[in-house]
Amino acid sequence: MSYSRICTVLFLVSALFGSAAEAPLFTEVKPSSGFDFVHYNGMNGKYYLPEIMNPGGALFDYDGDGDLDLYLVQGGTLPAGGDASKTLVPYKGKGVPKDRLYRTDIDKSGKISFTDVTDKAGLNATGYGMGVTTGDVDNDGDLDLYVTNFGPNQLWLNNGDGTFSDTTAKAGVSDPGLSTSAAFIDLDRDGDLDLFMADYVLMNLDKYPNCYASDSSLDYCGPDAFPAAKDRFFLNNGDGTFKDATSLIRDAEAGAGLGVVTCDLDNDGWLDIYVANDGDPNHLWRNKGDGTFEEIGLLAGVALNGVGAAEAGMGVTAGDFDGDGDEDLFMTHLDEETNTLYTNQGDNFFDDGTNSAGLAMVSMKYTGFGTGWIDLDNDGWLDLVALNGAVRVQAEKKGIFPLQQANQIFMNLAGKGFAEANERGGSAFTDEEVSRGAAIGDVDSDGDADLLIINCNGPARLLLNNGSMNNWLGLRLVTGKRDALGAQATVHTASGRKLYRRARTDGSYCSARDPRLLFGLAAEKKITGIDVIWPDGKKERFPAVETGRYHTLTQGKGGKP
């Protein structure tokens, strides 16, 4: 980093962490509100790898009332069918372990509460859960759920009356292996959502190997102890059923897939797929626009890090952190590696900008999973969160599950770099836990981004953003009856600034976020217009709207760009 760049970053850090920066970013929702989820991993002393990999969760509006509800993925016993009361950490919930759905309610005073409606909704997801994604697969206006498991996955179709039906068999999207992250996206521009899922490794508990730490004690295996699995791709038939189109992404070596994000990395109007692989080169599936894909990760510079090494890719997120109009990639990795920031240079080429952005050394001692770009202070610059938890027993830590680590916050220094600010996040970023999934969304609909942290073998945390004095604008992009996943909106401010955001539920790790878009406007009070590129490639210009509130933009209702 040049002397001038160092000086610029130091100035921005000083400006960021003045007296006003002492205010906490979040207030944690208490169990008394009704949100009381505790994850159970069923560990039994045999060090099965899946028990340290889950869980994820989702923020989504399942009942269409305008606020975000919560879906939490649960574990179980390994092998399945064991006695959950006799594992090393017994299950303390009611009945058998299963995923939970919490309905969010906000009263007129703004008080928020949660109700467990799992049974009422007909959800009986009792598999060994890994992750979840959301999307309207049958275009009826209701959000559906796809749950990934160690074992058969499940598609839960929203019936529109507060209940769900298991349509996995009819839809043809079960997978018997170890699936992790998944994404719904219209990759062929036919108006319905297709499904991509990352598969991790091929594993048989009946023939499970023993793996050891450096002191010869039993420890968790890494992915290299198993054959890597190949990811799966399904095309929607238009009615919420799917056909297996995995052959379209078969021209690359298998990788132990964990994180998935969909994005248009070359700005050609066709959505691409990026997969974070654990210890294997990452995959970038470029959408050629003719119904086929080509894997260009190595050529694009995003398969390996800047020194040519494959890293332990866990979580991944895409967003325009530097305000130049294209999407950059951030990935979390294993301890003794750095997290990696790939900066988009255009024309399908990326640089490893981790070190110059100040994100290298601060991540070396952590193992990261869930992550996301999130404008925590609504200044228009995307900040970062990284959730951490080890995957190898830490001899210096106490307890029956010694994998605890602290989580991290990185504040964006106006596109010039990042400054670590963990203390501003409160106990969820200073206490040590085994964090995995991260879901981002405006749970209380007050114009700032909140954070759901899903911990392995411990309680989930819901952090409500305390807000700032900065102005904001919220957008929901809709095509037909559903969210236009993959659409990109550009907000033009009165000062001439352009802010780019893409509607998505994917990214992070095994989790689904709010598809609504939040634009932090700093001190600006007005915008001059909004450009939208829809998933089918069509472009529209929408006039200026009032800031400080949410608006819905529907495809076909705008004008010529």
Coordinates of all heavy atoms in Angstrom, one line a residue, residues 321-408:
F321 N -18.6 -2.9 -3.4 CA -18.1 -2.2 -2.2 C -17.5 -0.9 -2.5 O -17.4 0.0 -1.7 CB -17.2 -3.1 -1.4 CG -15.7 -3.0 -1.8 CD1 -14.9 -2.2 -1.2 CD2 -15.3 -3.8 -2.9 CE1 -13.5 -2.1 -1.6 CE2 -13.9 -3.7 -3.3 CZ -13.1 -2.8 -2.6
D322 N -16.9 -0.7 -3.7 CA -16.2 0.5 -4.1 C -16.9 1.4 -5.0 O -16.3 2.4 -5.4 CB -14.8 0.1 -4.7 CG -15.0 -0.9 -5.9 OD1 -16.1 -1.2 -6.2 OD2 -13.9 -1.4 -6.4
G323 N -18.2 1.2 -5.3 CA -19.0 2.1 -6.0 C -18.6 2.3 -7.4 O -19.0 3.4 -8.0
D324 N -18.0 1.3 -8.1 CA -17.6 1.5 -9.5 C -18.6 0.9 -10.5 O -18.3 0.8 -11.7 CB -16.2 1.0 -9.7 CG -16.1 -0.5 -9.5 OD1 -17.0 -1.1 -9.0 OD2 -15.0 -1.0 -9.8
G325 N -19.7 0.3 -10.0 CA -20.7 -0.2 -10.9 C -20.7 -1.7 -11.2 O -21.5 -2.2 -11.9
D326 N -19.7 -2.4 -10.6 CA -19.7 -3.9 -10.8 C -19.6 -4.6 -9.4 O -19.2 -3.9 -8.4 CB -18.6 -4.3 -11.7 CG -17.2 -3.7 -11.4 OD1 -16.9 -3.6 -10.2 OD2 -16.4 -3.4 -12.3
E327 N -19.9 -5.8 -9.4 CA -19.9 -6.6 -8.2 C -18.6 -7.2 -7.8 O -17.9 -7.8 -8.7 CB -21.0 -7.7 -8.3 CG -22.4 -7.1 -8.3 CD -23.4 -8.2 -8.5 OE1 -23.6 -8.7 -9.6 OE2 -24.1 -8.5 -7.4
D328 N -18.2 -7.0 -6.6 CA -17.0 -7.6 -6.1 C -17.3 -8.8 -5.2 O -18.5 -9.0 -4.8 CB -16.2 -6.6 -5.3 CG -16.0 -5.3 -6.0 OD1 -15.3 -5.3 -7.0 OD2 -16.7 -4.3 -5.7
L329 N -16.4 -9.7 -4.9 CA -16.6 -10.9 -4.2 C -15.8 -10.9 -2.9 O -14.6 -10.6 -2.9 CB -16.2 -12.2 -5.0 CG -17.1 -12.4 -6.3 CD1 -16.4 -13.4 -7.2 CD2 -18.5 -12.8 -5.9
F330 N -16.4 -11.4 -1.8 CA -15.7 -11.6 -0.5 C -16.0 -13.0 -0.1 O -17.1 -13.4 -0.1 CB -16.1 -10.5 0.5 CG -15.5 -10.7 1.8 CD1 -14.2 -10.3 2.1 CD2 -16.2 -11.3 2.9 CE1 -13.6 -10.5 3.3 CE2 -15.6 -11.5 4.1 CZ -14.2 -11.1 4.3
M331 N -14.9 -13.6 0.4 CA -15.0 -15.0 0.9 C -14.4 -15.2 2.2 O -13.4 -14.6 2.5 CB -14.4 -16.0 -0.1 CG -14.9 -15.9 -1.5 SD -14.0 -17.0 -2.6 CE -14.5 -18.6 -1.9
T332 N -15.0 -16.0 3.0 CA -14.4 -16.4 4.3 C -13.7 -17.7 4.2 O -14.1 -18.6 3.4 CB -15.5 -16.5 5.4 OG1 -16.5 -17.4 5.0 CG2 -16.1 -15.1 5.7
H333 N -12.6 -17.9 5.0 CA -11.8 -19.0 4.9 C -11.3 -19.6 6.3 O -11.7 -19.0 7.3 CB -10.5 -18.7 4.1 CG -10.8 -18.4 2.7 ND1 -10.4 -17.3 2.0 CD2 -11.4 -19.1 1.7 CE1 -10.8 -17.3 0.8 NE2 -11.4 -18.4 0.6
L334 N -10.5 -20.6 6.2 CA -10.0 -21.3 7.4 C -9.0 -20.4 8.1 O -8.4 -19.6 7.5 CB -9.4 -22.6 6.9 CG -9.0 -23.7 8.0 CD1 -10.2 -24.3 8.6 CD2 -8.2 -24.8 7.3
D335 N -8.8 -20.7 9.4 CA -7.7 -20.0 10.1 C -6.3 -20.4 9.5 O -6.2 -21.4 8.8 CB -7.7 -20.3 11.6 CG -7.5 -21.8 11.9 OD1 -7.6 -22.6 10.9 OD2 -7.3 -22.2 13.1
E336 N -5.4 -19.5 9.6 CA -4.1 -19.6 9.0 C -4.1 -19.3 7.5 O -3.1 -19.3 6.8 CB -3.4 -20.9 9.3 CG -3.2 -21.1 10.8 CD -2.5 -22.5 11.0 OE1 -1.9 -23.1 10.1 OE2 -2.4 -22.9 12.2
E337 N -5.3 -19.0 7.0 CA -5.5 -18.4 5.7 C -6.1 -17.0 5.9 O -6.5 -16.7 7.0 CB -6.4 -19.2 4.8 CG -6.0 -20.6 4.6 CD -7.0 -21.5 3.8 OE1 -8.2 -21.0 3.7 OE2 -6.7 -22.6 3.3
T338 N -6.1 -16.2 4.9 CA -6.9 -14.9 5.0 C -8.2 -15.1 4.4 O -8.4 -16.0 3.5 CB -6.1 -13.8 4.3 OG1 -6.2 -14.0 2.9 CG2 -4.7 -13.7 4.7
N339 N -9.2 -14.3 4.8 CA -10.4 -14.1 4.0 C -9.9 -13.5 2.7 O -8.8 -12.9 2.7 CB -11.4 -13.3 4.7 CG -12.0 -14.0 5.9 OD1 -12.0 -15.2 6.0 ND2 -12.5 -13.2 6.9
T340 N -10.7 -13.6 1.7 CA -10.3 -13.0 0.4 C -11.3 -12.1 -0.2 O -12.5 -12.4 -0.3 CB -10.0 -14.2 -0.6 OG1 -9.0 -15.1 -0.1 CG2 -9.5 -13.6 -1.9
L341 N -10.8 -10.9 -0.6 CA -11.6 -9.9 -1.4 C -11.1 -9.9 -2.8 O -10.0 -9.6 -3.1 CB -11.4 -8.5 -0.8 CG -12.1 -7.4 -1.5 CD1 -13.6 -7.5 -1.5 CD2 -11.6 -6.0 -1.0
Y342 N -12.0 -10.3 -3.7 CA -11.7 -10.2 -5.2 C -12.4 -9.0 -5.7 O -13.6 -8.9 -5.7 CB -12.3 -11.5 -5.9 CG -11.6 -12.8 -5.5 CD1 -12.3 -13.7 -4.8 CD2 -10.3 -13.1 -5.9 CE1 -11.7 -15.0 -4.5 CE2 -9.7 -14.3 -5.6 CZ -10.4 -15.2 -4.9 OH -9.9 -16.4 -4.6
T343 N -11.6 -8.0 -6.2 CA -12.1 -6.8 -6.7 C -12.3 -6.9 -8.2 O -11.4 -7.3 -8.9 CB -11.2 -5.6 -6.4 OG1 -9.8 -5.9 -6.9 CG2 -11.0 -5.4 -4.9
N344 N -13.5 -6.6 -8.7 CA -13.8 -6.7 -10.1 C -13.2 -5.6 -10.9 O -13.4 -4.4 -10.7 CB -15.4 -6.6 -10.2 CG -15.9 -7.2 -11.5 OD1 -15.2 -7.1 -12.5 ND2 -17.1 -7.7 -11.5
Q345 N -12.4 -6.0 -11.9 CA -11.8 -5.1 -12.8 C -12.5 -5.0 -14.2 O -12.1 -4.3 -15.0 CB -10.3 -5.6 -13.1 CG -9.5 -5.8 -11.8 CD -9.4 -4.5 -11.0 OE1 -9.0 -3.5 -11.5 NE2 -9.7 -4.6 -9.7
G346 N -13.6 -5.7 -14.3 CA -14.3 -5.7 -15.6 C -13.8 -6.8 -16.5 O -12.7 -7.3 -16.3
D347 N -14.6 -7.1 -17.5 CA -14.2 -8.1 -18.6 C -13.8 -9.4 -18.0 O -12.9 -10.1 -18.4 CB -13.0 -7.6 -19.4 CG -13.4 -6.3 -20.2 OD1 -14.6 -6.2 -20.7 OD2 -12.6 -5.4 -20.3
N348 N -14.5 -9.9 -16.9 CA -14.3 -11.2 -16.3 C -12.9 -11.3 -15.8 O -12.3 -12.4 -15.9 CB -14.6 -12.3 -17.3 CG -16.1 -12.6 -17.3 OD1 -16.8 -12.7 -16.3 ND2 -16.6 -12.9 -18.5
F349 N -12.4 -10.3 -15.1 CA -11.1 -10.3 -14.5 C -11.1 -9.7 -13.1 O -11.7 -8.6 -12.9 CB -10.0 -9.6 -15.4 CG -8.6 -9.8 -14.8 CD1 -8.0 -11.0 -14.9 CD2 -8.1 -8.7 -14.1 CE1 -6.7 -11.1 -14.3 CE2 -6.8 -8.8 -13.6 CZ -6.1 -10.0 -13.7
F350 N -10.5 -10.4 -12.1 CA -10.5 -9.9 -10.8 C -9.1 -9.9 -10.2 O -8.2 -10.7 -10.6 CB -11.4 -10.9 -9.9 CG -12.8 -10.8 -10.2 CD1 -13.3 -11.5 -11.3 CD2 -13.7 -10.2 -9.4 CE1 -14.7 -11.4 -11.6 CE2 -15.1 -10.2 -9.6 CZ -15.6 -10.8 -10.8
D351 N -8.9 -9.0 -9.3 CA -7.6 -8.9 -8.5 C -7.9 -9.3 -7.1 O -9.0 -9.1 -6.5 CB -7.1 -7.5 -8.5 CG -6.3 -7.1 -9.7 OD1 -5.8 -8.0 -10.4 OD2 -6.2 -5.9 -10.0
D352 N -6.9 -10.0 -6.5 CA -7.0 -10.2 -5.0 C -6.6 -8.9 -4.3 O -5.4 -8.6 -4.2 CB -6.0 -11.4 -4.7 CG -6.1 -11.8 -3.2 OD1 -6.6 -11.0 -2.4 OD2 -5.7 -12.9 -2.8
G353 N -7.6 -8.3 -3.8 CA -7.4 -7.0 -3.1 C -7.5 -7.1 -1.6 O -7.7 -6.0 -0.9
T354 N -7.3 -8.3 -1.1 CA -7.5 -8.5 0.4 C -6.5 -7.6 1.2 O -6.9 -7.0 2.1 CB -7.3 -10.0 0.7 OG1 -8.0 -10.8 -0.2 CG2 -7.7 -10.3 2.1
N355 N -5.3 -7.7 0.8 CA -4.2 -7.0 1.6 C -4.4 -5.5 1.6 O -4.3 -4.8 2.6 CB -2.9 -7.5 1.2 CG -1.8 -7.1 2.2 OD1 -1.9 -7.4 3.4 ND2 -0.8 -6.4 1.7
S356 N -4.6 -5.0 0.3 CA -4.6 -3.5 0.2 C -5.9 -3.0 0.9 O -5.9 -1.8 1.2 CB -4.6 -3.2 -1.3 OG -5.7 -3.7 -2.0
A357 N -6.9 -3.8 1.0 CA -8.1 -3.3 1.7 C -8.1 -3.5 3.2 O -9.0 -3.1 3.9 CB -9.4 -4.1 1.1
G358 N -7.0 -4.0 3.7 CA -6.9 -4.1 5.2 C -7.6 -5.3 5.8 O -7.9 -5.3 6.9
L359 N -7.9 -6.3 4.9 CA -8.7 -7.5 5.4 C -7.9 -8.8 5.5 O -8.5 -9.8 5.8 CB -9.8 -7.7 4.4 CG -10.9 -6.7 4.3 CD1 -11.8 -6.9 3.1 CD2 -11.7 -6.6 5.6
A360 N -6.6 -8.7 5.4 CA -5.8 -9.9 5.4 C -5.4 -10.4 6.8 O -6.0 -11.4 7.3 CB -4.5 -9.7 4.5
M361 N -4.6 -9.7 7.5 CA -4.1 -10.1 8.8 C -5.2 -10.2 9.8 O -5.1 -11.1 10.7 CB -3.0 -9.1 9.2 CG -1.7 -9.2 8.4 SD -1.0 -10.9 8.2 CE -0.6 -11.2 9.9
V362 N -6.2 -9.4 9.7 CA -7.2 -9.4 10.7 C -8.1 -10.7 10.7 O -8.8 -11.0 11.6 CB -8.2 -8.2 10.6 CG1 -7.5 -6.9 11.0 CG2 -8.8 -8.1 9.2
S363 N -7.9 -11.5 9.6 CA -8.7 -12.7 9.5 C -7.9 -14.0 9.7 O -8.4 -15.1 9.7 CB -9.4 -12.8 8.2 OG -8.5 -12.8 7.1
M364 N -6.6 -13.8 9.9 CA -5.7 -15.0 9.9 C -6.0 -16.0 11.0 O -5.8 -17.2 10.9 CB -4.2 -14.6 10.1 CG -3.7 -13.9 8.8 SD -3.3 -15.2 7.5 CE -1.9 -16.0 8.2
K365 N -6.4 -15.6 12.2 CA -6.6 -16.5 13.3 C -8.1 -17.0 13.4 O -8.4 -17.7 14.4 CB -6.2 -15.8 14.6 CG -7.1 -14.6 15.0 CD -6.6 -14.0 16.4 CE -7.5 -12.9 16.8 NZ -7.0 -12.4 18.2
Y366 N -8.9 -16.7 12.4 CA -10.3 -17.1 12.5 C -10.7 -18.0 11.4 O -10.0 -18.0 10.3 CB -11.2 -15.8 12.4 CG -11.0 -14.8 13.5 CD1 -10.3 -13.7 13.3 CD2 -11.6 -15.1 14.7 CE1 -10.2 -12.7 14.3 CE2 -11.5 -14.2 15.8 CZ -10.7 -13.0 15.5 OH -10.6 -12.1 16.5
T367 N -11.7 -18.8 11.6 CA -12.3 -19.6 10.6 C -13.7 -19.1 10.3 O -14.5 -19.1 11.2 CB -12.4 -21.1 11.0 OG1 -11.1 -21.7 11.1 CG2 -13.2 -21.9 10.0
G368 N -13.9 -18.5 9.1 CA -15.1 -17.8 8.8 C -16.1 -18.6 8.1 O -15.8 -19.5 7.3
F369 N -17.4 -18.3 8.3 CA -18.5 -19.0 7.6 C -19.4 -17.9 7.1 O -19.1 -17.3 6.1 CB -19.2 -19.9 8.6 CG -18.5 -21.3 8.7 CD1 -17.5 -21.4 9.6 CD2 -18.9 -22.4 8.0 CE1 -16.8 -22.6 9.8 CE2 -18.2 -23.6 8.1 CZ -17.2 -23.7 9.0
G370 N -20.5 -17.6 7.7 CA -21.5 -16.7 7.2 C -20.9 -15.3 7.0 O -20.1 -14.8 7.8
T371 N -21.3 -14.6 6.0 CA -20.8 -13.3 5.7 C -21.8 -12.5 4.9 O -22.7 -13.1 4.3 CB -19.4 -13.4 5.0 OG1 -18.8 -12.1 4.8 CG2 -19.6 -14.0 3.6
G372 N -21.6 -11.2 4.7 CA -22.5 -10.4 3.9 C -22.1 -9.0 3.8 O -21.5 -8.4 4.8
W373 N -22.3 -8.4 2.7 CA -22.2 -6.9 2.5 C -23.4 -6.3 3.2 O -24.5 -6.7 2.9 CB -22.1 -6.5 1.1 CG -20.9 -7.1 0.3 CD1 -21.0 -8.0 -0.7 CD2 -19.6 -6.6 0.4 NE1 -19.7 -8.2 -1.2 CE2 -18.8 -7.4 -0.6 CE3 -18.9 -5.7 1.2 CZ2 -17.4 -7.2 -0.7 CZ3 -17.5 -5.5 1.0 CH2 -16.8 -6.3 0.1
I374 N -23.2 -5.3 4.0 CA -24.3 -4.8 4.8 C -24.0 -3.3 5.2 O -22.9 -3.1 5.8 CB -24.6 -5.6 6.0 CG1 -25.7 -5.0 6.9 CG2 -23.4 -6.0 6.8 CD1 -26.1 -5.9 8.1
D375 N -24.7 -2.4 4.7 CA -24.5 -1.0 5.0 C -25.0 -0.7 6.4 O -26.2 -0.3 6.6 CB -25.1 -0.1 3.9 CG -24.8 1.4 4.1 OD1 -24.0 1.7 5.1 OD2 -25.2 2.2 3.3
L376 N -24.2 -0.8 7.4 CA -24.6 -0.8 8.8 C -25.0 0.6 9.2 O -25.8 0.8 10.1 CB -23.5 -1.3 9.7 CG -23.2 -2.8 9.6 CD1 -21.9 -3.2 10.3 CD2 -24.4 -3.6 10.2
D377 N -24.4 1.7 8.6 CA -24.7 3.0 9.1 C -25.4 3.9 8.0 O -25.5 5.1 8.1 CB -23.4 3.7 9.5 CG -22.3 3.6 8.5 OD1 -22.5 3.1 7.4 OD2 -21.2 4.0 8.8
N378 N -25.8 3.2 6.9 CA -26.6 3.9 5.8 C -25.8 5.1 5.3 O -26.4 6.1 4.9 CB -27.9 4.4 6.3 CG -29.0 3.2 6.3 OD1 -28.7 2.2 5.6 ND2 -30.1 3.4 7.0
D379 N -24.5 4.9 5.1 CA -23.7 6.0 4.5 C -23.5 5.8 3.0 O -22.8 6.5 2.3 CB -22.4 6.2 5.2 CG -21.4 4.9 5.0 OD1 -21.9 3.9 4.5 OD2 -20.3 5.0 5.4
G380 N -24.1 4.7 2.5 CA -24.0 4.4 1.1 C -22.8 3.5 0.7 O -22.7 3.1 -0.5
W381 N -22.0 3.1 1.7 CA -20.9 2.2 1.5 C -21.1 0.9 2.2 O -21.5 0.9 3.3 CB -19.6 2.9 2.0 CG -19.2 4.1 1.2 CD1 -19.5 5.4 1.7 CD2 -18.6 4.2 0.0 NE1 -19.0 6.3 0.7 CE2 -18.5 5.6 -0.3 CE3 -18.1 3.3 -1.0 CZ2 -17.9 6.1 -1.5 CZ3 -17.6 3.8 -2.1 CH2 -17.4 5.1 -2.4
L382 N -20.9 -0.2 1.4 CA -21.2 -1.5 2.0 C -20.1 -2.0 2.9 O -19.0 -2.1 2.6 CB -21.3 -2.5 0.8 CG -22.5 -2.4 -0.1 CD1 -22.5 -3.3 -1.3 CD2 -23.8 -2.6 0.7
D383 N -20.5 -2.2 4.2 CA -19.7 -2.8 5.2 C -19.7 -4.3 5.1 O -20.4 -4.9 4.3 CB -20.1 -2.3 6.6 CG -20.3 -0.8 6.6 OD1 -19.3 -0.1 6.3 OD2 -21.4 -0.3 6.9
L384 N -19.0 -5.0 6.0 CA -18.9 -6.4 6.0 C -19.1 -7.0 7.4 O -18.7 -6.4 8.4 CB -17.5 -6.9 5.5 CG -17.2 -7.1 4.0 CD1 -15.8 -7.3 3.8 CD2 -18.1 -8.2 3.4
V385 N -19.7 -8.2 7.5 CA -19.7 -9.0 8.7 C -19.1 -10.3 8.3 O -19.3 -10.8 7.2 CB -21.1 -9.2 9.3 CG1 -21.6 -7.8 9.8 CG2 -22.1 -9.8 8.3
A386 N -18.4 -10.9 9.2 CA -17.8 -12.3 9.0 C -18.1 -13.0 10.3 O -17.7 -12.6 11.4 CB -16.3 -12.2 8.7
L387 N -18.8 -14.1 10.2 CA -19.1 -15.0 11.4 C -18.1 -16.1 11.5 O -17.8 -16.8 10.5 CB -20.5 -15.5 11.3 CG -21.6 -14.5 11.2 CD1 -23.0 -15.2 11.3 CD2 -21.5 -13.3 12.1
N388 N -17.6 -16.4 12.7 CA -16.5 -17.3 12.8 C -16.8 -18.4 13.8 O -17.6 -18.3 14.7 CB -15.2 -16.5 13.3 CG -14.8 -15.4 12.4 OD1 -14.8 -15.6 11.2 ND2 -14.6 -14.2 12.9
G389 N -16.0 -19.5 13.6 CA -16.1 -20.6 14.5 C -15.2 -21.7 14.0 O -15.2 -22.0 12.8
A390 N -14.3 -22.2 14.8 CA -13.3 -23.2 14.4 C -13.9 -24.5 13.9 O -15.1 -24.8 14.2 CB -12.3 -23.5 15.5
V391 N -13.1 -25.3 13.1 CA -13.5 -26.6 12.7 C -12.6 -27.7 13.2 O -12.8 -28.9 12.9 CB -13.6 -26.7 11.2 CG1 -14.7 -25.8 10.7 CG2 -12.3 -26.3 10.5
R392 N -11.5 -27.2 13.9 CA -10.6 -28.2 14.6 C -10.6 -27.9 16.0 O -10.6 -26.7 16.4 CB -9.2 -28.0 13.9 CG -9.2 -28.4 12.5 CD -7.8 -28.2 11.8 NE -7.5 -26.8 11.8 CZ -6.7 -26.2 10.8 NH1 -6.2 -27.0 9.9 NH2 -6.5 -24.9 10.8
V393 N -10.5 -28.9 16.9 CA -10.5 -28.7 18.3 C -9.4 -27.8 18.7 O -8.2 -28.0 18.3 CB -10.4 -30.0 19.0 CG1 -10.2 -29.8 20.5 CG2 -11.7 -30.9 18.8
Q394 N -9.7 -26.8 19.5 CA -8.7 -25.8 20.0 C -8.3 -26.2 21.4 O -9.1 -26.1 22.3 CB -9.2 -24.4 20.0 CG -9.7 -24.0 18.6 CD -10.4 -22.6 18.6 OE1 -9.8 -21.6 18.2 NE2 -11.6 -22.7 19.0
A395 N -7.1 -26.7 21.6 CA -6.6 -27.3 22.8 C -6.7 -26.2 24.0 O -6.9 -26.6 25.1 CB -5.2 -27.8 22.7
E396 N -6.6 -25.0 23.6 CA -6.5 -23.9 24.7 C -7.9 -23.5 25.2 O -8.1 -22.8 26.2 CB -5.8 -22.7 24.2 CG -6.6 -21.9 23.1 CD -6.4 -22.4 21.7 OE1 -5.9 -23.5 21.5 OE2 -6.9 -21.7 20.8
K397 N -9.0 -24.0 24.4 CA -10.3 -23.7 24.8 C -10.9 -24.8 25.7 O -10.6 -25.9 25.6 CB -11.2 -23.5 23.6 CG -10.7 -22.4 22.6 CD -11.0 -21.0 23.3 CE -10.4 -19.9 22.4 NZ -11.2 -19.8 21.2
K398 N -11.8 -24.4 26.6 CA -12.5 -25.3 27.5 C -13.9 -25.7 27.0 O -14.4 -25.0 26.1 CB -12.5 -24.7 28.9 CG -11.2 -24.4 29.5 CD -11.3 -23.9 30.9 CE -10.0 -23.6 31.6 NZ -10.1 -23.0 32.9
G399 N -14.4 -26.7 27.5 CA -15.8 -27.1 27.2 C -15.8 -28.3 26.3 O -14.8 -28.8 25.8
I400 N -17.0 -28.8 26.1 CA -17.2 -30.0 25.3 C -17.2 -29.7 23.8 O -17.1 -30.7 23.0 CB -18.6 -30.6 25.8 CG1 -18.6 -32.1 25.4 CG2 -19.8 -29.9 25.2 CD1 -19.8 -32.8 26.1
F401 N -17.3 -28.5 23.4 CA -17.3 -28.1 22.0 C -16.4 -26.9 21.8 O -16.8 -25.8 21.5 CB -18.8 -27.7 21.7 CG -19.1 -27.7 20.2 CD1 -18.8 -28.8 19.4 CD2 -19.7 -26.6 19.6 CE1 -19.1 -28.8 18.0 CE2 -20.0 -26.6 18.3 CZ -19.7 -27.7 17.5
P402 N -15.1 -27.2 21.9 CA -14.1 -26.1 22.0 C -13.7 -25.5 20.6 O -12.6 -25.6 20.1 CB -12.9 -26.8 22.6 CG -13.0 -28.2 22.2 CD -14.4 -28.5 22.1
L403 N -14.7 -24.9 20.0 CA -14.5 -24.3 18.6 C -14.9 -22.9 18.6 O -14.9 -22.2 17.5 CB -15.4 -25.1 17.6 CG -15.3 -26.6 17.5 CD1 -16.3 -27.2 16.5 CD2 -13.9 -27.0 17.1
Q404 N -15.0 -22.3 19.8 CA -15.6 -20.9 19.8 C -14.6 -19.9 19.3 O -13.4 -19.9 19.6 CB -16.0 -20.6 21.3 CG -16.9 -21.5 21.9 CD -16.2 -22.6 22.7 OE1 -15.1 -22.9 22.5 NE2 -17.0 -23.3 23.6
Q405 N -15.1 -18.9 18.6 CA -14.3 -17.7 18.2 C -15.2 -16.5 18.1 O -16.5 -16.6 18.1 CB -13.7 -18.0 16.8 CG -12.7 -19.1 16.7 CD -12.1 -19.3 15.3 OE1 -12.7 -18.9 14.3 NE2 -10.9 -19.8 15.2
A406 N -14.6 -15.3 18.1 CA -15.4 -14.1 18.0 C -15.8 -13.8 16.6 O -15.0 -14.2 15.7 CB -14.6 -12.9 18.6
N407 N -16.9 -13.1 16.4 CA -17.3 -12.6 15.1 C -16.6 -11.3 14.8 O -16.1 -10.6 15.7 CB -18.8 -12.6 15.0 CG -19.4 -13.9 15.1 OD1 -18.9 -14.9 14.6 ND2 -20.5 -14.0 15.8
Q408 N -16.8 -10.8 13.5 CA -16.1 -9.6 13.1 C -17.0 -8.7 12.3 O -17.8 -9.1 11.5 CB -14.8 -9.9 12.3 CG -13.8 -10.6 13.1 CD -12.6 -11.1 12.2 OE1 -12.8 -12.1 11.5 NE2 -11.5 -10.5 12.2

